[in-house]
Amino acid sequence: MTDLFWPGDERAGDHFTTASLLRAMVDVEEEWLDRLGHPADLLPLLDGLDPQALARAAEGGGNPVIPLVAALRAALGDSDPGRWLHRGLTSQDVLDTALVALAADAVVALRADLDRLAARLGDLARTHRDTPMVGRTLTQHAVPTTFGLRAAQWLTAVLDADDGLALLGFPDQLGGAAGTRAASAELGLDLGDAQAPWHTVRTTVTALGDALVTTTDGLARIAADVLVMARPEVGELAEGSPGGSSTMPGKANPVLSVLVRRAALTTPQLAATLHVAAAGQVDDRADGAWHAEWATLRDLVRRTLVAASQAVDLVGGLVVDTDRMAATLAGAGDAVLAEQATMAGLAGHAPHASYLGEAGRLVDRVLERLEER
Amino acid sequence: MTDLFWPGDERAGDHFTTASLLRAMVDVEEEWLDRLGHPADLLPLLDGLDPQALARAAEGGGNPVIPLVAALRAALGDSDPGRWLHRGLTSQDVLDTALVALAADAVVALRADLDRLAARLGDLARTHRDTPMVGRTLTQHAVPTTFGLRAAQWLTAVLDADDGLALLGFPDQLGGAAGTRAASAELGLDLGDAQAPWHTVRTTVTALGDALVTTTDGLARIAADVLVMARPEVGELAEGSPGGSSTMPGKANPVLSVLVRRAALTTPQLAATLHVAAAGQVDDRADGAWHAEWATLRDLVRRTLVAASQAVDLVGGLVVDTDRMAATLAGAGDAVLAEQATMAGLAGHAPHASYLGEAGRLVDRVLERLEER
Amino acid sequence: MTDLFWPGDERAGDHFTTASLLRAMVDVEEEWLDRLGHPADLLPLLDGLDPQALARAAEGGGNPVIPLVAALRAALGDSDPGRWLHRGLTSQDVLDTALVALAADAVVALRADLDRLAARLGDLARTHRDTPMVGRTLTQHAVPTTFGLRAAQWLTAVLDADDGLALLGFPDQLGGAAGTRAASAELGLDLGDAQAPWHTVRTTVTALGDALVTTTDGLARIAADVLVMARPEVGELAEGSPGGSSTMPGKANPVLSVLVRRAALTTPQLAATLHVAAAGQVDDRADGAWHAEWATLRDLVRRTLVAASQAVDLVGGLVVDTDRMAATLAGAGDAVLAEQATMAGLAGHAPHASYLGEAGRLVDRVLERLEER
Amino acid sequence: MTDLFWPGDERAGDHFTTASLLRAMVDVEEEWLDRLGHPADLLPLLDGLDPQALARAAEGGGNPVIPLVAALRAALGDSDPGRWLHRGLTSQDVLDTALVALAADAVVALRADLDRLAARLGDLARTHRDTPMVGRTLTQHAVPTTFGLRAAQWLTAVLDADDGLALLGFPDQLGGAAGTRAASAELGLDLGDAQAPWHTVRTTVTALGDALVTTTDGLARIAADVLVMARPEVGELAEGSPGGSSTMPGKANPVLSVLVRRAALTTPQLAATLHVAAAGQVDDRADGAWHAEWATLRDLVRRTLVAASQAVDLVGGLVVDTDRMAATLAGAGDAVLAEQATMAGLAGHAPHASYLGEAGRLVDRVLERLEER
């Protein structure tokens, strides 16, 4: 899958594509047939289905499960599994369970990328633990800091995001028409130990959205610093493989950072849509609020995957100009030590040789957090 | 184009698809070659291009124009147009102009659907100008009203939306690398009368987004009433072609209303993203805020087109149960006339025979607005 | 505090008011003086400060800490604490720590209300464990369910929200000018065991926002059902103390539900703002993204507190009309048992006497979750 | 009014305060008494009312009109106006009309500030029409431009925003209980020529929100450039009255720019809330979607007013370092003229002496637009 409107989309691979969703829905039906004791190998039937036709037919009942079940029934004919297919389920059971399964896979892939990213950020923090640079607050030079501490902050953002992803749950949805499991009970099935239905309580979905947007928040935080520090007037960082221009020869644009930031400008609103939808739940199946989730979730997941993968490349290729950092700090002069003078005066001693405080220890603590995972 | 995650997506046809965007970008380049006086018929070259490969290559420079220009140059070889292709333009010129052209086409199609919808709503308002039903405020019975007035309110929402769409501008983007038109001037081209460049002033884009979301607001306002009034306990309206269930025989779901509402739950946040991006503009080309627009705009446009088309069918097929409306009003009894008693007492006369006030005249005024367009 | 634009605002008491914020900031400065070994009793000085003047002066440096420190210094004069006041801190340390302290208090109060709410919902679920009513999906009658199961779903939403709130952290912010703790180190202070600075990694803030909006999602889910079921045509629920009208005598509006829903329409976008701000972090203190948090957080917290308190009253006073529920279900007739006929036919037995499946057991499980907390 | 959580809030003066809203609502009632032919001077009664008590009482019916009417009736006693007060109106008539009146006043004030801002930007563009500086795209040096063109782009954003504000309508709301004008008709009043009721068609509100956020978009676009160009490494711009630090002597922060950006990070989501509410309209008065507008609108209006006022000061005090601009451009060297070399080569002539293209003419066009208003 590629998307001309979202350069880099192919990095998200098959996650949340039409094909993946179809396969996941068929998986749900197949596992359900197993539970019912009327098993069938459904996946091969997928080859005979026309995804476009299914997508078109999805409008009739408002979701893709109805035409999929019809197509599978037609393929199974009057066989035993054909008669038992989908019995005891409702459309939302199948679609929710399938989407959650896709989400689970995507989060595994995402966390693998965050692992890689964290490792690279750890290297950066370790390498530059004591690399001095000027601190900047509200765009202006503040007091000295180190590039290692900056990298440690980036790493903290990534570890925080990963902690959020680690807490997510990926429950099945097995409730039947109105969440009572009446049909499955009528069929003699006991679902007592399965996760309770959550047709209209969407914490699973909003928590996923929140964790994903927290991830792009963290990735964008890295990109934001690169975009400032790669400005030619600052020149302390550069992307390893910058992008070119369609008209200006020799231009070297921090493209990965640009694209990571792009994602983070869109995801907060997508996560908000999931909350608006959650708050609009009503009855035993919502009249629109459920349907608003599917594409929103797809876009959130894929954009986060793309951004994480781009961040891995961005950080892996980052060029750090420690000389320039040193020069900028030197050039900032006494102004960035004015605070130190006040403090030393108050404490009644000459200013210490360095004014980096606990920067090194703060780096060490984040590295410990990385190692203890 | 279909989208399993967005049932009904095919209603948006080719608007804002990969193929449409490629064609529109090639159109821009072709028109530019005309201006430069080195014309070439570029559209046939599109057949030789691989959209997937272009999409993948788009990441390198951060946008799809760079690989497209490279591919066209390769196809044109060392010909005269090959050497002049894209000279004087920048990526953003091409992509913005192409997206605006796609938007202009989409808005024409959207307004055509709103015309159809308005006509049907006009019929409804006219037919039911004097059909009494109970008014409802804060979910409770209020005073009597008419279904014609309700339809007139729906129509007002649609006409308001259309008025907003009518105001939109669709300017070309012709600024060159930093919006100064330096390259075109160097080539001897005078663009003096063309729309000034708007690389980092995105009112064109946000106004489009605002007009689209105003459209889905209005469509959802219709759907919301249908969703209430089609409840079996109310039973005053029904969709003409309701949807079925995957498990409950005989279920008749107001699917079009559900899908229209779905759209309107997502579009406000998409329009907000365009504003976040507009506020994040900086320098002569923004470092991410521009890139966040493309897919957002695509989704906004397509979802609005789909919702408008669905609303046409929804209103066209709407089943109005005037007997049920009359029965509900009768059943509401004196409570809905308590206000009238107060007013008549204050005015010192017996209550008028009807308590519909200016409802009929208000309907007439909206119909006049419809006719005067 | 009251707010004419937000009826019910006074339910949020002193949480996140000007007075509370001033006190919290003074607390931070007082505790810091303790750490420095130059203690002073600062709270009494607050009486001499003019909150309006401080608020006005806050614009000069962009935050309220700068004028507060100036005012406290003026009050302390040339005393020892006067010279040590705020030394080693930066504005963001004080404001972040104060806001987090306010948030911690607010979350305690919120969770207490959610406890009350959960208890009442537990009672409702228990009482109506076996009260039959019609299930509704996509607005239409589905299969039978129980009102107890509905209440259990409401309870699940509340418990999910509370679980999210329980995970929140409320760290101090102690980093100094650029997060290196250089000034405190220069003063001889070792902060090694304190929470690492998080000036530009805002997971603390976004997690709080996400947990709050998840709370209003759940509360709105309750309100949404009440708003449907309190419609006169449904009539299965009613608020215990409905609101009146300014013009229609005898009107009984489900006002608490209306106001709870109101909150949930606004909070998703406020939480999104916190994420937009988190993604916009840069350098060692962001140039606007930090400042956008304060009022956003205040509104999020207060609105959630108000909504939770209103929901306690709403659920506490809820009038359940079990006869009407039974009548509606009876009136729905065989249509809601059509699924059962299919299932029984497939299973080869006569339909069971009841078609409530595992509804009772699902209620029990949620009640167990409530008790095990 | 001041707000410790929103430094600068006092710049918005009395717009959308509790006192203003009360006065506006009383105005509506007074004008209505005039229409009814039972006039009374109501404004003096406001002195006897307790705003806090009214705000507290507003929760009972869900809006502040109900207790206000009750209080005014109590004050008027059994007089003629006392009996006629509010007869024919509904709460929403009063509150909507009052809020729209406040909005009209606020937009007048806002446009006056935008006029001032536009004049200053015009001066800047005129003064620096030919001041060369380096163009920047995707953070990197591009081709030369002028600071005048940059200022002209800022001006364009402001003029675009003002054009949007100029289109806004500020209709009264006069519909009665369910929008039929039944009560006023019963009282013998003919409202035939008044604006049709728009209780549940909220284009007036969303258009206002969209125009306000378009304004902050434009203001933030200015701030974004200042925040980049005021970085010490760039040093081409500086705020005239920068802010200080609580700990670092001599720090000069671009505080006005920071606070302007802050506003624009929050307003897109507030405008989105108005759209979510508009899409949630239902029946003859919405059950929550109306109530969500009031505080949202207040915050949008006040924040935009504050940001515009701050932008006037920001631009008025802006320090432009043309030497630094020239030095940066010179330092960028041949790289920023590489495009020119390509173009000149293609055109077959030596590069022109300047590579500023139509920059000057583009400035002139924006200045013409300013003068023609």
Side-chain angles (χ1 to χ4, degrees), chain B residues 139-287:
Chain B
T139 74
Q140 302 301 300
H141 290 162
V143 295
T145 187
T146 64
F147 180 59
L149 183 55
R150 182 63 57 83
Q153 290 157 350
W154 297 350
L155 177 53
T156 299
V158 170
L159 295 179
D160 283 0
D162 191 63
D163 284 353
L165 293 165
L167 289 172
L168 294 175
F170 302 97
D172 285 350
Q173 179 73 278
L174 296 172
T180 59
R181 297 179 171 165
S184 48
E186 192 79 22
L187 295 173
L189 216 59
D190 186 329
L191 296 170
D193 53 349
Q195 161 81 31
W198 45 279
H199 288 157
T200 58
V201 178
R202 309 301 287 175
T203 328
T204 293
V205 175
T206 56
L208 175 58
D210 293 342
L212 293 169
V213 70
T214 301
T215 304
T216 57
D217 291 349
L219 302 175
R221 204 248 152 288
I222 302 173
D225 277 339
V226 176
L227 288 166
V228 163
M229 296 169 80
R231 284 188 175 267
E233 294 87 353
V234 180
E236 296 173 354
L237 294 177
E239 290 199 6
S241 304
S245 155
S246 75
T247 183
M248 290 175 283
K251 193 111 186 297
N253 294 319
V255 168
L256 290 171
S257 302
V258 163
L259 295 180
V260 168
R261 165 174 287 174
R262 162 197 64 169
L265 289 168
T266 72
T267 49
Q269 285 76 243
L270 295 175
T273 297
L274 296 180
H275 282 291
V276 169
Q281 294 296 317
V282 68
D283 294 335
D284 297 300
R285 181 157 316 118
D287 49 354

Side-chain angles (χ1 to χ4, degrees), chain A residues 335-359:
Chain A
V336 299
L337 298 176
E339 187 194 58
Q340 185 182 27
T342 308
M343 301 301 149
L346 183 66
H349 59 67
H352 296 163
S354 145
Y355 196 57
L356 287 171
E358 304 187 11

